Amino acid sequence: MSDIIKLLPDAVANQIAAGEVIQRPASAVKELLENSIDAGADNISLVIKDAGKALIQVIDNGFGMSETDARLSFERHATSKIKSADDLFNLSTKGFRGEALASVAAIAQVELKTKVEGNDLGTQIIIEGSEVKEQEVCSCAKGTSFSIKNLFYNVPARRNFLKSNPVEVKHIIEEFQRVAMVHADIAFSMYNNGNEVFNLKKGSFRQRIVGVFGERYNQKLVPVEESTDIVSVIGFVSKPEFAKKTRGEQYFFVNDRFIKNSYLNHAINNAFDQLLSKDQHPSYFLKLTIDPAKIDINIHPTKTEIKFEDERAIYAIIRTSVKQALGKNNITPTLDFEQESSFNVPLMRSTEHIKAPTIKVNPSYNPFATKSSESSSSKPESTKNWESLYSSFETETTQLTSDFENEEVEPLEDQQVISTSWEDEEHDEQQTLIQLHNKFILGQLKSGSLIIDQERAHTRILFEQYIKNFALGKGTTQQLLYPETIDFTTADAELLNELQQEIKTLGFDFEKMGKSSFVVSGVPAELKEQNVKQIIEGLLEQFKLNESELKLKKHENLAISMARSASVRSGKKMSYEEMKALVDQLFACEMPYSLPNGKPTIITLNLDDLNQQFDY
Ligand code: ADP
Ligand code: MG
């Protein structure tokens, strides 16, 4: 039998390769956008027509290409980004395989225009089915413009395989979002059939997320930040109340590259733990930065899957940092993190022979930060790291228990335990004040305990004070160092004008300036550094609501509206002094136990009842 093996012509080899790299218009979009980023552009536009089937054009202001490079860029394995296999472990660019342009050129009609800085003229190349049709000098702007026309024109089977236009556009938008989101320092725009879909200015990561997903995302995001030797994590998770029934926006970026990873996704779900029900999914936008030597991006042509050397440690770090972020924002529902330790530690003292507690004692303790980077350079070592995580917890906790025995416990950092002698009957009962969930204050009485709702308590205190102001005809004003000019809606400006006299009695000092602006030069003394605009707007809002629904008297309405607007909110962490002042002031009120609408401010837990509950 004669020899039958033949080398495939380049055009055919490229077409086959294209099958892996370019599956649909969205894949070509991704490759072009990534090339523009690698070219150092800070302004990138994407234009598509007919869902990318007729045209995909990407225009950038990056460093462009010389005439020779322009021609070479379409060759397979032609890349400026790596020189040797070693470079694969030190990648700082998106591309490196040198096959995207070769692939695209094999299955479409491609027009390239490019010019490097300082040259008068650029290069234009037209290439179709891997065949160069035209190459000439052209006049164009600095940077590069690629137009991909009639994708899959010569591979009918693939063209027929494409989905409907809305589906393909959706894929393109997804790809665009993934790239744009993580490069907030680059301006991006996108046009579909001549209509602007995105116009994203440079800004912060948060601004970019909001730019991509809409203004309402601003209030949904909880910042996450953690830096360790293995990985640094920065970004946002959604507050649990905004969780979605479908897998919402879930974005992991590793070294600015979007990746999919179900294991790490699990770490986040785990951090949300009891905050979400089974059918709810958190949104997240997390950027991981990691030594490129410790990841392998080259396991799939589209580079959306990567291998981590320290996967388990990264899992733990992500889980901890998300959990901590949720905890800091007071969204953990149970006694967890700060609350967990502050609650359990003092109680532990009474149990003499108890074993070392297994709870975490220091919420800001970071088991990963202290590990040297070389100790995590190989898999077995990193597993050791992982195990040492537990052993260091153990040392910490053992240490703590022995401290207790010596009766020399300093209140732990970041905790809200005030009394070091929780069950000491002799001490001043006011000393024991613990903030729970940044919402309630737990205090001890001889006859039991009381729980105070901090927001309601403060509302009651302020309400009585404002009623007093009206009776005296005057409140105490604190002059602002810098008077603030505030613009209101026309309706609010009208109302403010109408209530001017009364609002001044509350302690505000302001003058009308222009149609709907006011200059505020003084605020009620107890407001301190709060946002004046927000408070006045809140006051007017409440006033309007009460007026229509409760028909309150003007003074009463203003007093309660202002109290509501200015009171400390649930969710605010309070120092011991603040809690003590609040409790003292509450008990100095005429009617400390409820709000004017009858809602309780305090509930008490009678000691006898408690004993009964525990079956004593
Ligand atoms: P890779 O990105 O993996 O290197 P590509 O086929 O995507 O491979 O691109 C080949 C080469 O063409 C790149 O390495 C780069 O030098 C050049 N190139 C591609 N797009 C651009 C661009 N927008 N601006 C400047 N150079 C580009
Ligand atoms: Mg590329």
Side-chain angles (χ1 to χ4, degrees):
M1 183 172 138
S2 58
D3 301 338
I4 51 171
I5 297 179
K6 288 194 195 81
L7 280 178
L8 290 175
D10 275 355
V12 179
N14 285 340
Q15 228 184 67
I16 293 170
E20 286 196 312
V21 188
I22 311 292
Q23 285 135 7
R24 52 176 12 130
S27 346
V29 166
K30 170 177 190 267
E31 294 298 334
L32 293 187
L33 292 176
E34 291 190 344
N35 277 347
S36 296
I37 293 166
D38 285 347
D42 72 351
N43 200 325
I44 302 175
S45 297
L46 166 66
V47 178
I48 58 168
K49 295 224 165 88
D50 194 16
K53 294 168 187 171
L55 174 74
I56 298 167
Q57 184 180 17
V58 170
I59 307 156
D60 70 50
N61 65 350
F63 48 61
M65 282 180 270
S66 71
E67 195 184 335
T68 321
D69 282 352
R71 175 64 196 83
L72 254 182
S73 69
F74 290 106
E75 292 297 319
R76 197 134 72 99
H77 308 309
T79 179
S80 56
K81 298 169 194 175
I82 58 171
K83 293 198 175 65
S84 71
D86 285 348
D87 296 344
L88 277 175
F89 302 101
N90 193 22
L91 284 171
S92 58
T93 51
K94 308 257 174 247
F96 57 86
R97 296 169 60 112
E99 53 188 9
L101 293 183
S103 299
V104 162
I107 49 161
Q109 298 154 342
V110 180
E111 185 188 294
L112 159 67
K113 281 185 180 175
T114 185
K115 194 182 88 165
V116 291
E117 176 119 62
N119 282 6
D120 291 337
L121 291 171
T123 308
Q124 170 171 347
I125 292 177
I126 294 177
I127 185 165
E128 277 181 32
S130 301
E131 215 177 291
V132 178
K133 296 284 179 191
E134 205 181 296
Q135 171 160 3
E136 56 192 22
V137 290
C138 71
S139 68
C140 55
K142 177 215 154 195
T144 303
S145 158
F146 273 102
S147 300
I148 301 178
K149 294 175 189 163
N150 304 319
L151 191 70
F152 299 131
Y153 80 104
N154 54 353
V155 204
R158 304 217 58 163
R159 197 166 167 96
N160 295 337
F161 174 77
L162 293 178
K163 298 274 181 349
S164 68
N165 281 7
V167 173
E168 293 301 336
V169 168
K170 183 174 153 270
H171 283 292
I172 291 174
I173 289 180
E174 258 166 28
E175 213 58 78
F176 175 89
Q177 289 175 330
R178 289 168 181 178
V179 174
M181 207 178 328
V182 76
H183 292 284
D185 51 346
I186 300 175
F188 281 92
S189 54
M190 173 177 170
Y191 301 85
N192 179 19
N193 292 332
N195 300 321
E196 183 181 286
V197 185
F198 289 103
N199 188 353
L200 304 167
K201 307 266 175 296
K202 293 185 195 184
S204 65
F205 187 30
R206 188 183 192 112
Q207 284 166 328
R208 182 53 57 90
I209 294 171
V210 169
V212 168
F213 293 110
E215 191 53 47
R216 75 211 136 81
Y217 269 73
N218 216 350
Q219 45 150 345
K220 294 188 183 183
L221 304 176
V222 178
V224 178
E225 198 172 351
E226 183 64 89
S227 184
T228 74
D229 286 348
I230 299 172
V231 65
S232 80
V233 184
I234 192 153
F236 302 91
V237 292
S238 61
K239 292 181 186 165
E241 65 262 36
F242 296 110
K244 300 198 161 183
K245 290 279 182 228
T246 54
R247 271 171 185 266
E249 286 75 33
Q250 304 194 322
Y251 295 91
F252 273 122
F253 303 96
V254 173
N255 297 352
D256 291 348
R257 191 190 295 277
F258 170 81
I259 60 137
K260 295 177 184 157
N261 189 309
S262 52
Y263 181 62
L264 297 187
N265 176 60
H266 188 266
I268 299 198
N269 286 334
N270 193 320
F272 272 84
D273 203 13
Q274 291 148 17
L275 292 167
L276 298 180
S277 62
K278 283 244 156 7
D279 58 344
Q280 288 183 309
H281 303 276
S283 300
Y284 54 83
F285 313 86
L286 291 184
K287 297 205 259 189
L288 314 189
T289 309
I290 195 162
D291 177 357
K294 298 209 188 313
I295 51 176
D296 184 357
I297 304 164
N298 199 21
I299 53 173
H300 195 269
T302 58
K303 311 180 203 100
T304 46
E305 280 158 51
I306 66 176
K307 273 209 295 253
F308 297 94
E309 202 174 273
D310 297 323
E311 198 168 48
R312 284 174 44 161
I314 293 171
Y315 180 101
I317 294 165
I318 290 180
R319 184 179 164 277
T320 311
S321 52
V322 170
K323 220 171 162 155
Q324 247 163 19
L326 292 171
K328 265 191 209 138
N329 279 268
N330 186 40
I331 7 203
T332 34
T334 47
L335 296 175
D336 201 0
F337 280 89
E338 285 131 296
Q339 283 101 346
E340 183 170 62
S341 44
S342 58
F343 212 82
N344 283 322
V345 170
L347 292 173
M348 216 96 66
R349 296 180 59 230
S350 56
T351 359
E352 291 245 349
H353 301 295
I354 196 157
K355 287 199 118 195
T358 51
I359 53 150
K360 250 201 207 175
V361 292
N362 180 354
S364 57
Y365 171 69
N366 183 342
F368 313 103
T370 54
K371 299 287 166 269
S372 70
S373 44
E374 80 246 31
S375 73
S376 55
S377 59
S378 67
K379 192 94 188 173
E381 278 294 325
S382 68
T383 321
K384 229 187 275 165
N385 264 353
W386 167 250
E387 284 159 5
S388 68
L389 188 158
Y390 289 109
S391 57
S392 28
F393 277 153
E394 258 165 50
T395 347
E396 282 273 315
T397 44
T398 324
Q399 173 76 32
L400 193 83
T401 333
S402 57
D403 274 356
F404 277 139
E405 280 151 20
N406 297 335
E407 292 289 311
E408 282 174 357
V409 193
E410 287 283 311
L412 287 165
E413 215 191 313
D414 241 36
Q415 287 198 355
Q416 295 143 31
V417 182
I418 303 309
S419 166
T420 52
S421 50
W422 171 269
E423 67 292 302
D424 180 354
E425 283 299 319
E426 292 304 303
H427 83 280
D428 176 4
E429 63 204 19
Q430 291 276 304
Q431 238 184 349
T432 314
L433 290 175
I434 296 177
Q435 195 184 20
L436 301 173
H437 309 293
N438 290 348
K439 181 171 187 190
F440 302 110
I441 298 168
L442 177 66
Q444 183 185 304
L445 302 170
K446 282 243 161 58
S447 57
S449 307
L450 46 79
I451 301 178
I452 295 168
D453 181 312
Q454 67 188 44
E455 180 169 333
R456 286 191 191 165
H458 197 215
T459 308
R460 161 55 71 181
I461 296 165
L462 291 177
F463 172 73
E464 293 202 1
Q465 185 182 331
Y466 294 134
I467 288 290
K468 226 175 272 170
N469 286 359
F470 283 125
L472 297 171
K474 184 158 175 39
T476 17
T477 302
Q478 159 105 45
Q479 291 302 319
L480 292 176
L481 211 50
Y482 304 102
E484 254 184 72
T485 307
I486 304 178
D487 299 320
F488 291 93
T489 61
T490 326
D492 276 358
E494 280 301 304
L495 185 60
L496 192 56
N497 219 12
E498 191 188 312
L499 297 173
Q500 203 172 136
Q501 209 41 54
E502 288 85 355
I503 293 182
K504 283 184 176 164
T505 313
L506 291 174
F508 284 103
D509 198 356
F510 60 89
E511 292 302 324
K512 191 158 194 245
M513 214 190 86
K515 204 168 156 290
S516 51
S517 305
F518 290 79
V519 180
V520 182
S521 53
V523 297
E526 68 284 348
L527 288 196
K528 301 201 183 90
E529 284 130 35
Q530 295 177 57
N531 184 329
V532 185
K533 178 171 199 262
Q534 233 169 338
I535 295 218
I536 300 182
E537 278 174 352
L539 160 67
L540 297 175
E541 195 56 49
Q542 279 286 333
F543 183 86
K544 284 183 278 187
L545 203 76
N546 293 344
E547 197 175 39
S548 62
E549 288 180 8
L550 301 174
K551 311 254 178 295
L552 291 177
K553 284 196 214 111
K554 206 194 227 175
H555 283 182
E556 230 169 80
N557 186 353
L558 275 169
I560 188 66
S561 299
M562 179 61 190
R564 283 244 159 80
S565 181
S567 61
V568 354
R569 291 285 179 270
S570 292
K572 184 176 179 294
K573 192 167 178 164
M574 295 178 79
S575 68
Y576 172 66
E577 282 69 29
E578 288 170 328
M579 289 194 283
K580 182 157 175 8
L582 188 84
V583 174
D584 288 347
Q585 285 175 33
L586 181 64
F587 284 106
C589 280
E590 282 180 22
M591 182 49 222
Y593 296 100
S594 65
L595 286 182
N597 65 5
K599 292 245 167 82
T601 50
I602 303 172
I603 55 169
T604 48
L605 299 171
N606 191 296
L607 192 57
D608 293 338
D609 290 347
L610 278 179
N611 279 329
Q612 212 168 21
Q613 296 270 338
F614 282 101
D615 206 12
Y616 276 107

